[in-house]
Amino acid sequence: MPQHVPTDARVCPSCDGFSTAAITTGTRHQDGSRVLVPVTCRSCHGAGYAPAWLAAPSPIHAGR
């Protein structure tokens, strides 16, 4: 079922709302499962949303 996001939600621009990811290290546990390391977004600290100053589009564009 789709999840609706309110229009005033401040989604983090760095992680696009996916604040935590599991990254494999390439090694395995004794039972054969992979070793995973959870990593959180540095901008929103794992919250998925950002403060208004971070989520607001910048008025300055590169190259202009």
Side-chain angles (χ1 to χ4, degrees):
M1 196 167 2
Q3 297 291 324
H4 299 285
V5 177
T7 57
D8 62 343
R10 298 181 314 241
V11 177
C12 177
S14 298
C15 65
D16 204 24
F18 296 97
S19 58
T20 305
I23 300 173
T24 182
T25 61
T27 58
R28 295 185 182 264
H29 291 290
Q30 292 287 346
D31 63 355
S33 62
R34 295 189 182 269
V35 176
L36 298 175
V37 178
V39 179
T40 58
C41 175
R42 289 189 214 173
S43 297
C44 66
H45 302 287
Y49 59 91
W53 65 269
L54 184 61
S58 174
I60 301 171
H61 298 284
R64 288 189 182 182

Short mmCIF file of all heavy atoms in Angstrom, two decimals:
data_model
loop_
_atom_site.label_atom_id
_atom_site.label_comp_id
_atom_site.label_asym_id
_atom_site.label_seq_id
_atom_site.Cartn_x
_atom_site.Cartn_y
_atom_site.Cartn_z
N MET A 1 0.84 -1.16 0.00
CA MET A 1 0.00 0.00 0.00
C MET A 1 0.90 1.24 0.00
O MET A 1 1.88 1.30 0.72
CB MET A 1 -0.89 -0.02 1.24
CG MET A 1 -2.01 0.93 1.08
SD MET A 1 -3.42 0.89 2.19
CE MET A 1 -3.19 -0.29 3.39
N PRO A 2 0.58 2.24 -0.81
CA PRO A 2 1.45 3.42 -0.88
C PRO A 2 1.40 4.25 0.39
O PRO A 2 0.39 4.30 1.07
CB PRO A 2 0.88 4.21 -2.06
CG PRO A 2 -0.52 3.76 -2.19
CD PRO A 2 -0.56 2.34 -1.72
N GLN A 3 2.52 4.86 0.69
CA GLN A 3 2.61 5.75 1.83
C GLN A 3 2.57 7.18 1.31
O GLN A 3 3.37 7.56 0.46
CB GLN A 3 3.92 5.52 2.59
CG GLN A 3 4.03 4.15 3.19
CD GLN A 3 3.06 3.96 4.33
OE1 GLN A 3 2.79 4.88 5.08
NE2 GLN A 3 2.51 2.77 4.45
N HIS A 4 1.64 7.96 1.79
CA HIS A 4 1.50 9.34 1.35
C HIS A 4 2.29 10.25 2.28
O HIS A 4 2.22 10.14 3.49
CB HIS A 4 0.04 9.74 1.32
CG HIS A 4 -0.77 8.91 0.38
ND1 HIS A 4 -0.70 9.07 -0.99
CD2 HIS A 4 -1.62 7.89 0.59
CE1 HIS A 4 -1.50 8.19 -1.57
NE2 HIS A 4 -2.06 7.46 -0.63
N VAL A 5 3.05 11.15 1.69
CA VAL A 5 3.85 12.11 2.44
C VAL A 5 3.17 13.47 2.34
O VAL A 5 2.82 13.90 1.25
CB VAL A 5 5.29 12.19 1.87
CG1 VAL A 5 6.10 13.23 2.59
CG2 VAL A 5 5.94 10.84 1.94
N PRO A 6 2.96 14.13 3.46
CA PRO A 6 2.37 15.46 3.39
C PRO A 6 3.24 16.42 2.58
O PRO A 6 4.45 16.28 2.53
CB PRO A 6 2.27 15.92 4.83
CG PRO A 6 2.79 14.83 5.67
CD PRO A 6 3.26 13.72 4.81
N THR A 7 2.60 17.39 1.95
CA THR A 7 3.35 18.31 1.09
C THR A 7 4.29 19.20 1.87
O THR A 7 5.25 19.71 1.31
CB THR A 7 2.38 19.19 0.27
OG1 THR A 7 1.53 19.88 1.19
CG2 THR A 7 1.58 18.35 -0.67
N ASP A 8 4.04 19.40 3.16
CA ASP A 8 4.92 20.25 3.95
C ASP A 8 6.04 19.47 4.64
O ASP A 8 6.75 20.01 5.46
CB ASP A 8 4.12 21.05 4.97
CG ASP A 8 3.40 20.15 5.96
OD1 ASP A 8 3.25 18.95 5.69
OD2 ASP A 8 2.98 20.67 7.01
N ALA A 9 6.19 18.19 4.32
CA ALA A 9 7.24 17.38 4.94
C ALA A 9 8.60 17.84 4.44
O ALA A 9 8.78 18.12 3.26
CB ALA A 9 7.05 15.91 4.60
N ARG A 10 9.57 17.91 5.34
CA ARG A 10 10.92 18.34 4.99
C ARG A 10 11.81 17.10 4.89
O ARG A 10 12.47 16.74 5.84
CB ARG A 10 11.44 19.31 6.04
CG ARG A 10 10.64 20.56 6.14
CD ARG A 10 11.22 21.49 7.18
NE ARG A 10 11.55 20.80 8.42
CZ ARG A 10 11.01 21.06 9.60
NH1 ARG A 10 10.12 21.99 9.71
NH2 ARG A 10 11.37 20.41 10.66
N VAL A 11 11.79 16.47 3.76
CA VAL A 11 12.59 15.27 3.53
C VAL A 11 14.05 15.69 3.38
O VAL A 11 14.36 16.68 2.73
CB VAL A 11 12.12 14.52 2.28
CG1 VAL A 11 12.99 13.32 1.99
CG2 VAL A 11 10.68 14.09 2.45
N CYS A 12 14.93 14.92 4.00
CA CYS A 12 16.36 15.23 3.94
C CYS A 12 16.85 15.15 2.49
O CYS A 12 16.64 14.16 1.82
CB CYS A 12 17.13 14.23 4.81
SG CYS A 12 18.91 14.45 4.75
N PRO A 13 17.51 16.20 1.99
CA PRO A 13 17.99 16.18 0.62
C PRO A 13 19.18 15.24 0.40
O PRO A 13 19.44 14.82 -0.72
CB PRO A 13 18.39 17.63 0.35
CG PRO A 13 18.69 18.19 1.69
CD PRO A 13 17.79 17.48 2.65
N SER A 14 19.87 14.88 1.45
CA SER A 14 21.05 14.01 1.30
C SER A 14 20.66 12.55 1.12
O SER A 14 21.21 11.85 0.28
CB SER A 14 21.97 14.15 2.50
OG SER A 14 22.44 15.46 2.59
N CYS A 15 19.70 12.08 1.94
CA CYS A 15 19.34 10.66 1.88
C CYS A 15 17.97 10.44 1.26
O CYS A 15 17.56 9.29 1.09
CB CYS A 15 19.38 10.06 3.28
SG CYS A 15 18.14 10.73 4.42
N ASP A 16 17.24 11.49 0.94
CA ASP A 16 15.93 11.44 0.33
C ASP A 16 14.92 10.67 1.18
O ASP A 16 14.03 10.01 0.68
CB ASP A 16 16.03 10.84 -1.07
CG ASP A 16 14.89 11.27 -1.97
OD1 ASP A 16 14.30 12.33 -1.70
OD2 ASP A 16 14.58 10.55 -2.93
N GLY A 17 15.11 10.73 2.50
CA GLY A 17 14.17 10.09 3.43
C GLY A 17 14.57 8.67 3.83
O GLY A 17 14.00 8.12 4.76
N PHE A 18 15.51 8.07 3.14
CA PHE A 18 16.00 6.73 3.50
C PHE A 18 17.21 6.92 4.39
O PHE A 18 18.36 6.87 3.94
CB PHE A 18 16.35 5.93 2.25
CG PHE A 18 15.16 5.66 1.38
CD1 PHE A 18 14.89 6.46 0.28
CD2 PHE A 18 14.30 4.62 1.66
CE1 PHE A 18 13.80 6.22 -0.52
CE2 PHE A 18 13.20 4.38 0.88
CZ PHE A 18 12.95 5.18 -0.22
N SER A 19 16.98 7.11 5.67
CA SER A 19 18.01 7.59 6.57
C SER A 19 19.01 6.53 7.03
O SER A 19 20.10 6.86 7.46
CB SER A 19 17.37 8.21 7.80
OG SER A 19 16.53 7.26 8.43
N THR A 20 18.66 5.26 6.95
CA THR A 20 19.56 4.20 7.39
C THR A 20 19.71 3.16 6.29
O THR A 20 18.73 2.76 5.67
CB THR A 20 19.03 3.52 8.66
OG1 THR A 20 18.81 4.52 9.65
CG2 THR A 20 20.01 2.51 9.20
N ALA A 21 20.94 2.73 6.05
CA ALA A 21 21.21 1.70 5.06
C ALA A 21 22.04 0.60 5.71
O ALA A 21 22.81 0.86 6.63
CB ALA A 21 21.97 2.28 3.88
N ALA A 22 21.90 -0.62 5.24
CA ALA A 22 22.71 -1.74 5.71
C ALA A 22 23.72 -2.08 4.62
O ALA A 22 23.35 -2.41 3.50
CB ALA A 22 21.85 -2.95 6.03
N ILE A 23 24.99 -1.98 4.95
CA ILE A 23 26.06 -2.23 3.99
C ILE A 23 26.77 -3.51 4.36
O ILE A 23 27.13 -3.72 5.52
CB ILE A 23 27.04 -1.05 3.97
CG1 ILE A 23 26.31 0.22 3.57
CG2 ILE A 23 28.21 -1.32 3.03
CD1 ILE A 23 27.14 1.46 3.66
N THR A 24 26.98 -4.37 3.39
CA THR A 24 27.68 -5.63 3.65
C THR A 24 29.19 -5.39 3.64
O THR A 24 29.70 -4.58 2.88
CB THR A 24 27.30 -6.70 2.62
OG1 THR A 24 27.98 -7.91 2.96
CG2 THR A 24 27.66 -6.31 1.21
N THR A 25 29.89 -6.10 4.52
CA THR A 25 31.34 -5.95 4.60
C THR A 25 32.07 -6.95 3.72
O THR A 25 33.27 -6.85 3.55
CB THR A 25 31.80 -6.15 6.05
OG1 THR A 25 31.46 -7.47 6.47
CG2 THR A 25 31.16 -5.14 6.97
N GLY A 26 31.36 -7.93 3.20
CA GLY A 26 31.98 -8.95 2.35
C GLY A 26 32.35 -10.20 3.13
O GLY A 26 32.66 -11.23 2.54
N THR A 27 32.35 -10.14 4.46
CA THR A 27 32.65 -11.32 5.26
C THR A 27 31.35 -11.99 5.70
O THR A 27 30.27 -11.44 5.54
CB THR A 27 33.49 -10.95 6.49
OG1 THR A 27 32.77 -9.99 7.26
CG2 THR A 27 34.81 -10.33 6.09
N ARG A 28 31.47 -13.18 6.26
CA ARG A 28 30.30 -13.93 6.67
C ARG A 28 30.44 -14.40 8.12
O ARG A 28 31.53 -14.59 8.62
CB ARG A 28 30.09 -15.15 5.77
CG ARG A 28 29.75 -14.76 4.34
CD ARG A 28 29.44 -16.00 3.52
NE ARG A 28 29.17 -15.66 2.14
CZ ARG A 28 27.95 -15.48 1.65
NH1 ARG A 28 26.91 -15.62 2.43
NH2 ARG A 28 27.77 -15.18 0.39
N HIS A 29 29.28 -14.60 8.76
CA HIS A 29 29.24 -15.18 10.11
C HIS A 29 29.46 -16.68 10.01
O HIS A 29 29.52 -17.25 8.92
CB HIS A 29 27.87 -14.91 10.76
CG HIS A 29 27.63 -13.47 11.08
ND1 HIS A 29 28.30 -12.79 12.07
CD2 HIS A 29 26.76 -12.58 10.54
CE1 HIS A 29 27.86 -11.56 12.13
NE2 HIS A 29 26.93 -11.39 11.20
N GLN A 30 29.56 -17.36 11.16
CA GLN A 30 29.75 -18.81 11.18
C GLN A 30 28.60 -19.55 10.51
O GLN A 30 28.80 -20.60 9.91
CB GLN A 30 29.88 -19.30 12.63
CG GLN A 30 31.15 -18.85 13.32
CD GLN A 30 32.37 -19.60 12.80
OE1 GLN A 30 32.27 -20.61 12.12
NE2 GLN A 30 33.53 -19.05 13.10
N ASP A 31 27.38 -19.00 10.61
CA ASP A 31 26.21 -19.67 10.02
C ASP A 31 26.05 -19.38 8.53
O ASP A 31 25.14 -19.88 7.88
CB ASP A 31 24.93 -19.29 10.77
CG ASP A 31 24.60 -17.82 10.68
OD1 ASP A 31 25.40 -17.05 10.12
OD2 ASP A 31 23.52 -17.45 11.17
N GLY A 32 26.92 -18.57 7.95
CA GLY A 32 26.89 -18.28 6.52
C GLY A 32 26.20 -16.98 6.16
O GLY A 32 26.23 -16.57 5.00
N SER A 33 25.56 -16.34 7.12
CA SER A 33 24.90 -15.06 6.81
C SER A 33 25.95 -13.95 6.71
O SER A 33 27.04 -14.06 7.27
CB SER A 33 23.87 -14.71 7.89
OG SER A 33 24.50 -14.56 9.15
N ARG A 34 25.62 -12.92 5.97
CA ARG A 34 26.58 -11.83 5.75
C ARG A 34 26.64 -10.89 6.94
O ARG A 34 25.67 -10.67 7.64
CB ARG A 34 26.19 -11.04 4.51
CG ARG A 34 26.30 -11.86 3.24
CD ARG A 34 26.10 -10.94 2.04
NE ARG A 34 26.15 -11.68 0.81
CZ ARG A 34 27.26 -11.89 0.10
NH1 ARG A 34 28.39 -11.39 0.52
NH2 ARG A 34 27.23 -12.57 -1.01
N VAL A 35 27.81 -10.29 7.13
CA VAL A 35 28.00 -9.29 8.17
C VAL A 35 27.53 -7.95 7.60
O VAL A 35 28.01 -7.52 6.55
CB VAL A 35 29.48 -9.19 8.60
CG1 VAL A 35 29.69 -8.09 9.61
CG2 VAL A 35 29.95 -10.52 9.16
N LEU A 36 26.56 -7.32 8.27
CA LEU A 36 26.02 -6.05 7.82
C LEU A 36 26.35 -4.94 8.83
O LEU A 36 26.35 -5.18 10.03
CB LEU A 36 24.51 -6.13 7.66
CG LEU A 36 23.99 -7.13 6.63
CD1 LEU A 36 22.48 -7.19 6.67
CD2 LEU A 36 24.47 -6.75 5.24
N VAL A 37 26.62 -3.77 8.31
CA VAL A 37 26.91 -2.62 9.15
C VAL A 37 25.82 -1.57 8.88
O VAL A 37 25.67 -1.13 7.74
CB VAL A 37 28.29 -2.03 8.81
CG1 VAL A 37 28.58 -0.79 9.63
CG2 VAL A 37 29.37 -3.05 9.00
N PRO A 38 25.05 -1.17 9.90
CA PRO A 38 24.06 -0.13 9.67
C PRO A 38 24.74 1.25 9.64
O PRO A 38 25.57 1.57 10.48
CB PRO A 38 23.12 -0.24 10.88
CG PRO A 38 23.96 -0.87 11.94
CD PRO A 38 24.96 -1.74 11.25
N VAL A 39 24.39 2.03 8.63
CA VAL A 39 24.98 3.36 8.45
C VAL A 39 23.84 4.37 8.38
O VAL A 39 22.88 4.17 7.64
CB VAL A 39 25.82 3.41 7.16
CG1 VAL A 39 26.41 4.79 6.96
CG2 VAL A 39 26.90 2.36 7.19
N THR A 40 23.95 5.44 9.16
CA THR A 40 22.92 6.48 9.15
C THR A 40 23.40 7.70 8.39
O THR A 40 24.60 7.95 8.27
CB THR A 40 22.53 6.89 10.58
OG1 THR A 40 23.69 7.34 11.26
CG2 THR A 40 21.92 5.74 11.35
N CYS A 41 22.46 8.48 7.91
CA CYS A 41 22.75 9.70 7.16
C CYS A 41 23.41 10.72 8.09
O CYS A 41 22.95 10.95 9.21
CB CYS A 41 21.46 10.25 6.58
SG CYS A 41 21.65 11.84 5.74
N ARG A 42 24.47 11.36 7.62
CA ARG A 42 25.17 12.37 8.43
C ARG A 42 24.40 13.68 8.52
O ARG A 42 24.53 14.41 9.49
CB ARG A 42 26.54 12.65 7.84
CG ARG A 42 27.50 11.53 8.01
CD ARG A 42 28.86 12.02 7.59
NE ARG A 42 29.61 10.94 6.98
CZ ARG A 42 30.78 11.10 6.41
NH1 ARG A 42 31.31 12.29 6.36
NH2 ARG A 42 31.40 10.07 5.89
N SER A 43 23.62 13.98 7.51
CA SER A 43 22.90 15.27 7.51
C SER A 43 21.74 15.29 8.48
O SER A 43 21.55 16.26 9.20
CB SER A 43 22.39 15.57 6.10
OG SER A 43 23.47 15.72 5.22
N CYS A 44 20.93 14.22 8.49
CA CYS A 44 19.74 14.21 9.35
C CYS A 44 19.92 13.33 10.58
O CYS A 44 18.99 13.21 11.39
CB CYS A 44 18.52 13.77 8.56
SG CYS A 44 18.58 12.05 7.98
N HIS A 45 21.06 12.70 10.72
CA HIS A 45 21.38 11.84 11.86
C HIS A 45 20.37 10.69 12.02
O HIS A 45 20.00 10.34 13.13
CB HIS A 45 21.47 12.65 13.15
CG HIS A 45 22.48 13.73 13.09
ND1 HIS A 45 23.83 13.49 13.13
CD2 HIS A 45 22.34 15.07 12.95
CE1 HIS A 45 24.48 14.63 13.03
NE2 HIS A 45 23.61 15.60 12.91
N GLY A 46 19.92 10.14 10.90
CA GLY A 46 19.03 8.99 10.92
C GLY A 46 17.56 9.30 11.12
O GLY A 46 16.76 8.41 11.31
N ALA A 47 17.18 10.57 11.06
CA ALA A 47 15.77 10.93 11.27
C ALA A 47 14.95 10.81 9.99
O ALA A 47 13.76 10.54 10.04
CB ALA A 47 15.67 12.34 11.82
N GLY A 48 15.55 11.04 8.82
CA GLY A 48 14.83 10.98 7.57
C GLY A 48 14.26 12.32 7.13
O GLY A 48 13.84 12.49 6.00
N TYR A 49 14.21 13.27 8.04
CA TYR A 49 13.76 14.61 7.69
C TYR A 49 14.82 15.60 8.16
O TYR A 49 15.66 15.29 8.98
CB TYR A 49 12.40 14.93 8.30
CG TYR A 49 12.37 14.84 9.80
CD1 TYR A 49 12.65 15.95 10.58
CD2 TYR A 49 12.07 13.65 10.44
CE1 TYR A 49 12.63 15.86 11.96
CE2 TYR A 49 12.06 13.56 11.82
CZ TYR A 49 12.33 14.67 12.57
OH TYR A 49 12.32 14.59 13.93
N ALA A 50 14.78 16.77 7.60
CA ALA A 50 15.83 17.75 7.87
C ALA A 50 15.24 19.04 8.38
O ALA A 50 14.07 19.32 8.16
CB ALA A 50 16.60 18.01 6.58
N PRO A 51 16.04 19.86 9.05
CA PRO A 51 15.57 21.18 9.45
C PRO A 51 15.25 22.02 8.20
O PRO A 51 15.73 21.73 7.11
CB PRO A 51 16.72 21.78 10.24
CG PRO A 51 17.84 20.85 10.15
CD PRO A 51 17.39 19.59 9.51
N ALA A 52 14.46 23.04 8.38
CA ALA A 52 14.02 23.86 7.24
C ALA A 52 15.19 24.46 6.48
O ALA A 52 15.16 24.53 5.25
CB ALA A 52 13.08 24.95 7.73
N TRP A 53 16.24 24.89 7.16
CA TRP A 53 17.36 25.52 6.47
C TRP A 53 18.11 24.54 5.58
O TRP A 53 18.68 24.91 4.57
CB TRP A 53 18.32 26.18 7.45
CG TRP A 53 19.00 25.22 8.36
CD1 TRP A 53 18.58 24.82 9.59
CD2 TRP A 53 20.21 24.51 8.11
NE1 TRP A 53 19.44 23.91 10.13
CE2 TRP A 53 20.46 23.69 9.25
CE3 TRP A 53 21.11 24.47 7.06
CZ2 TRP A 53 21.56 22.86 9.33
CZ3 TRP A 53 22.21 23.63 7.17
CH2 TRP A 53 22.43 22.84 8.28
N LEU A 54 18.09 23.24 5.93
CA LEU A 54 18.78 22.24 5.13
C LEU A 54 17.90 21.75 3.97
O LEU A 54 18.38 21.47 2.89
CB LEU A 54 19.20 21.05 6.00
CG LEU A 54 20.01 19.96 5.34
CD1 LEU A 54 21.33 20.52 4.83
CD2 LEU A 54 20.28 18.84 6.31
N ALA A 55 16.60 21.66 4.20
CA ALA A 55 15.69 21.15 3.19
C ALA A 55 15.29 22.19 2.16
O ALA A 55 14.83 21.87 1.08
CB ALA A 55 14.44 20.58 3.86
N ALA A 56 15.45 23.47 2.49
CA ALA A 56 15.07 24.54 1.56
C ALA A 56 16.02 24.59 0.38
O ALA A 56 17.23 24.40 0.54
CB ALA A 56 15.08 25.89 2.29
N PRO A 57 15.50 24.80 -0.82
CA PRO A 57 16.38 24.90 -1.99
C PRO A 57 17.28 26.13 -1.89
O PRO A 57 16.84 27.17 -1.41
CB PRO A 57 15.42 25.00 -3.16
CG PRO A 57 14.12 25.39 -2.60
CD PRO A 57 14.11 24.93 -1.17
N SER A 58 18.48 25.99 -2.32
CA SER A 58 19.44 27.08 -2.24
C SER A 58 19.19 28.08 -3.35
O SER A 58 18.98 27.71 -4.51
CB SER A 58 20.86 26.52 -2.39
OG SER A 58 21.78 27.57 -2.44
N PRO A 59 19.20 29.38 -3.05
CA PRO A 59 18.98 30.38 -4.10
C PRO A 59 20.21 30.57 -4.98
O PRO A 59 20.13 31.16 -6.03
CB PRO A 59 18.67 31.66 -3.31
CG PRO A 59 19.36 31.47 -2.02
CD PRO A 59 19.30 29.97 -1.73
N ILE A 60 21.36 30.05 -4.56
CA ILE A 60 22.60 30.19 -5.33
C ILE A 60 22.85 28.90 -6.09
O ILE A 60 22.85 27.82 -5.51
CB ILE A 60 23.79 30.49 -4.39
CG1 ILE A 60 23.52 31.78 -3.62
CG2 ILE A 60 25.08 30.56 -5.18
CD1 ILE A 60 24.53 32.05 -2.53
N HIS A 61 23.04 29.01 -7.39
CA HIS A 61 23.30 27.85 -8.23
C HIS A 61 24.74 27.91 -8.74
O HIS A 61 25.24 28.97 -9.09
CB HIS A 61 22.34 27.81 -9.42
CG HIS A 61 20.91 27.70 -8.98
ND1 HIS A 61 20.36 26.53 -8.54
CD2 HIS A 61 19.93 28.62 -8.92
CE1 HIS A 61 19.09 26.73 -8.22
NE2 HIS A 61 18.80 28.00 -8.45
N ALA A 62 25.37 26.76 -8.80
CA ALA A 62 26.75 26.70 -9.30
C ALA A 62 26.78 27.06 -10.78
O ALA A 62 25.91 26.67 -11.55
CB ALA A 62 27.32 25.31 -9.08
N GLY A 63 27.74 27.81 -11.17
CA GLY A 63 27.92 28.15 -12.58
C GLY A 63 27.18 29.40 -13.00
O GLY A 63 27.14 29.73 -14.18
N ARG A 64 26.54 30.08 -12.08
CA ARG A 64 25.80 31.29 -12.46
C ARG A 64 26.43 32.50 -11.86
O ARG A 64 26.99 32.56 -10.86
CB ARG A 64 24.36 31.21 -12.00
CG ARG A 64 23.59 30.22 -12.83
CD ARG A 64 22.14 30.32 -12.49
NE ARG A 64 21.44 29.32 -13.27
CZ ARG A 64 20.15 29.18 -13.22
NH1 ARG A 64 19.42 29.93 -12.46
NH2 ARG A 64 19.56 28.26 -13.94
#
